[in-house]
Amino acid sequence: MAKNWTPTSWKSRPAQQQAEYDDPVELESTLQRLHRLPPIVTSWEIEKLKRQLAEVSRGERFLLQGGDCSERFSDCQAHLIDAKLKVLLQMSAVLSYGGGKRVVRVGRIAGQYAKPRSSSMETIDGVSLPSYRGDLVNRREFTPQARRPDPANLIEAYARSSMTLNFIRSLLAGGFGDIHHPEVWNLAFVKESERAPEYEQLIEGMKAASRFLDATVGREVSELSTVDFFTSHEGLHLPYEHAVSELPPLRDGWYDMGTHFPWIGDRTRQIDGAHIEFFRGIRNPIGVKVGPSMDPAELVDLVRVLDEHNEPGRITLIVRMGAERIAARLPPLIEAVRRAGLNVIWCSDPMHGNTYSTADGTKTRHFDAILSELQQAFAIHTELGGFLGGVHFEMTGQDVTEIVGGARGLTEADLARAYDSDVDPRLNHEQALEMAFLISRHLRASPSAQV
Ligand code: PEP
Ligand code: CO
């Protein structure tokens, strides 16, 4: 057990970004009901993920984390889950073929229902209401009823997380077969790209590799392989995370049983804050977002607090600087962590530092800025004698138009056609797969590939 930690010690620390409920009795009784429900994940799955992440920290695997910025209750539908899983598995096939190493697959899924907001109130035409904080808390519509933080949403979120993961588990148990066969993927976008020859070469290579494997083992490879898939979400809403955490039988520590891999957001990572206090005592692997305001000494302190035993696989630093800032900000962080002898995974989130608004106020990101931040991350780690351990994307399996650029050259004028995100813009399935094509080369060139 972490020193001086109790499951409720976070309550005496300041907590940023929390919902304000108007009926504490209703909240408390809901949290108690939540606590009695069966877990969504198990402690042995969590430990398995930690072992795989320990391999990432040694350069033996690569971490792929991706999914919606914010899941909605209405996203709990078979075809949406199916499409999201499919694109993640296709990306992972590309990365493992291109990079020559196994991939740890983690979705931002089955619980990514809470969002930090820049202001706790929203005012429209002189009317002020609580901001939308994600379906875990309230609803997007601008009415007093919809914006009231309603504890019933906590149970609904837990149920939908569980239904989502149940469906994912069934799909994977059933083989989700053709994932290793690019011939059945929808790759129409490749022809639209200036880089078509490069992509086609990679696809041909993958086809040859899957034919070779099928012939060698005498059966479809997909029939033989089981695919591990893990869930993650931002551990933002502390009463919820606390209620779904427990000390499992035969374990010597507390686990967050609502997800395999909670991460702490850039706005809630204060070293004396409630989020760090809660998660330092939880045994799951923990992600920490690292934005431009992070100071090297602060990062070292933060990792030491969260990971008293310097346990391999425990801490993933998810760096989100922006393409313009990463070259100046990342190297001092890497050097400070290395000097302190800390064992962490470096992951790149090339999404959150590259968001901008168009003239009409639509939030978007440019494909090239995302790619540039990633390429710089690979290069910086290589130059400093280390390696990038993983990538973190906001993406969807749908054909949305939220991010400009990519093979089809989406422009700002295209955004209105199929813009569906309530919060941050996501790569659509083609852009996500294209990103995997583009980074698989860097992965092969990265020094950890020689491990
Ligand atoms: C997010 O991942 O959706 C998010 C809010 O990120 P950050 O904490 O890095 O701003
Ligand atoms: Co986001």
Side-chain angles (χ1 to χ4, degrees):
M1 209 75 94
K3 264 186 242 129
N4 304 322
W5 182 90
T6 72
T8 54
S9 53
W10 61 274
K11 292 189 179 180
S12 57
R13 303 286 180 93
Q16 304 296 320
Q17 297 284 342
Q18 299 303 288
E20 287 173 23
Y21 292 93
D22 56 20
D23 185 344
V25 177
E26 184 192 13
L27 175 64
E28 197 45 47
S29 70
T30 309
L31 293 170
Q32 278 171 19
R33 279 172 55 211
L34 195 53
H35 189 64
R36 285 192 294 271
L37 293 173
I40 296 179
V41 302
T42 61
S43 60
W44 56 91
E45 290 169 349
I46 294 170
E47 288 297 334
K48 182 177 192 186
L49 172 61
K50 215 193 291 175
R51 284 196 298 277
Q52 294 193 4
L53 290 172
E55 293 175 23
V56 173
S57 76
R58 297 194 292 269
E60 297 160 11
R61 282 185 186 253
F62 191 70
L63 168 64
L64 168 65
Q65 187 177 13
D68 293 307
C69 179
S70 173
E71 271 180 295
R72 291 171 294 206
F73 288 172
S74 59
D75 295 332
C76 186
Q77 295 187 50
H79 71 284
L80 298 177
I81 298 167
D82 178 294
K84 239 179 280 183
L85 184 63
K86 199 173 272 172
V87 67
L88 272 166
L89 295 183
Q90 291 175 348
M91 289 171 82
S92 109
V94 170
L95 291 175
S96 62
Y97 170 75
K101 76 177 83 163
R102 284 175 301 165
V103 173
V104 183
R105 302 167 205 87
V106 180
R108 286 174 66 114
I109 199 166
Q112 174 51 18
Y113 289 122
K115 294 311 297 173
R117 304 313 306 247
S118 45
S119 152
S120 61
M121 299 297 280
E122 185 177 350
T123 304
I124 298 180
D125 296 336
V127 179
S128 292
L129 293 174
S131 293
Y132 171 61
R133 291 189 173 277
D135 284 5
L136 185 66
V137 174
N138 54 5
R139 293 301 163 92
R140 176 126 203 125
E141 299 78 62
F142 195 74
T143 65
Q145 296 85 333
R147 289 296 175 90
R148 172 185 178 258
D150 182 352
N153 291 328
L154 302 172
I155 305 277
E156 186 69 23
Y158 195 74
R160 287 182 186 248
S161 301
S162 179
M163 288 182 246
T164 303
L165 185 54
N166 180 59
F167 184 54
I168 290 173
R169 291 186 196 281
S170 302
L171 287 172
L172 294 177
F176 218 52
D178 46 31
I179 245 44
H180 292 281
H181 290 270
E183 23 306 57
V184 298
W185 298 1
N186 180 353
L187 292 166
F189 71 93
V190 166
K191 302 236 172 320
E192 307 289 321
S193 171
E194 298 156 6
R195 297 169 171 129
E198 177 188 334
Y199 296 164
E200 273 156 8
Q201 198 186 354
L202 193 130
I203 295 161
E204 283 314 311
M206 286 187 74
K207 286 182 185 167
S210 66
R211 275 195 304 271
F212 172 74
L213 279 175
D214 287 349
T216 314
V217 295
R219 265 202 283 169
E220 292 269 313
V221 176
S222 52
E223 284 174 34
L224 300 174
S225 54
T226 54
V227 173
D228 289 323
F229 184 85
F230 301 95
T231 62
S232 67
H233 65 243
E234 179 170 351
L236 182 67
H237 191 298
L238 289 173
Y240 178 86
E241 302 301 331
H242 174 225
V244 304
S245 295
E246 58 188 74
L247 177 62
L250 308 178
R251 294 278 185 197
D252 59 359
W254 281 67
Y255 288 77
D256 187 327
M257 308 292 259
T259 189
H260 299 109
F261 186 26
W263 78 82
I264 302 168
D266 198 40
R267 298 181 217 194
T268 51
R269 57 168 172 74
Q270 301 75 19
I271 195 150
D272 299 323
H275 290 81
I276 298 295
E277 176 58 23
F278 180 67
F279 284 108
R280 81 182 174 90
I282 293 293
R283 303 295 290 266
N284 302 51
I286 306 287
V288 185
K289 288 290 198 91
V290 176
S293 65
M294 181 72 92
D295 171 78
E298 182 188 6
L299 180 59
V300 167
D301 289 346
L302 205 51
V303 174
R304 286 198 173 121
V305 167
L306 283 170
D307 186 16
E308 263 173 53
H309 304 293
N310 206 11
E311 185 187 0
R314 159 77 172 168
I315 300 293
T316 299
L317 300 177
I318 308 169
V319 177
R320 30 87 84 226
M321 296 294 175
E324 304 285 315
R325 286 192 273 213
I326 186 170
R329 307 281 165 122
L330 181 56
L333 298 176
I334 297 174
E335 276 162 359
V337 166
R338 180 176 303 158
R339 266 197 309 277
L342 303 176
N343 195 336
V344 301
I345 292 164
W346 292 96
C347 175
S348 172
D349 164 0
M351 313 300 294
H352 288 88
N354 293 309
T355 315
Y356 72 94
S357 292
T358 63
D360 70 1
T362 309
K363 256 186 170 186
T364 189
R365 294 161 170 156
H366 202 294
F367 188 92
D368 293 344
I370 297 168
L371 181 61
S372 165
E373 179 161 356
L374 276 172
Q375 288 173 331
Q376 292 181 69
F378 275 108
I380 291 166
H381 283 286
T382 304
E383 195 162 310
L384 296 181
F387 56 88
L388 183 69
V391 287
H392 181 118
F393 292 115
E394 287 188 340
M395 44 171 276
T396 169
Q398 304 311 113
D399 186 15
V400 298
T401 54
E402 298 173 3
I403 285 183
V404 296
R408 290 193 191 270
L410 291 185
T411 65
E412 291 185 1
D414 292 313
L415 295 180
R417 182 152 45 84
Y419 197 102
D420 182 43
S421 175
D422 280 343
V423 194
D424 288 339
R426 302 160 296 174
L427 296 165
N428 63 30
H429 69 103
E430 292 185 336
Q431 291 170 324
L433 202 49
E434 186 177 8
M435 201 54 85
F437 283 174
L438 287 167
I439 62 180
S440 65
R441 288 187 286 168
H442 293 273
L443 203 48
R444 181 153 289 187
S446 156
S448 67
Q450 275 97 54
V451 168

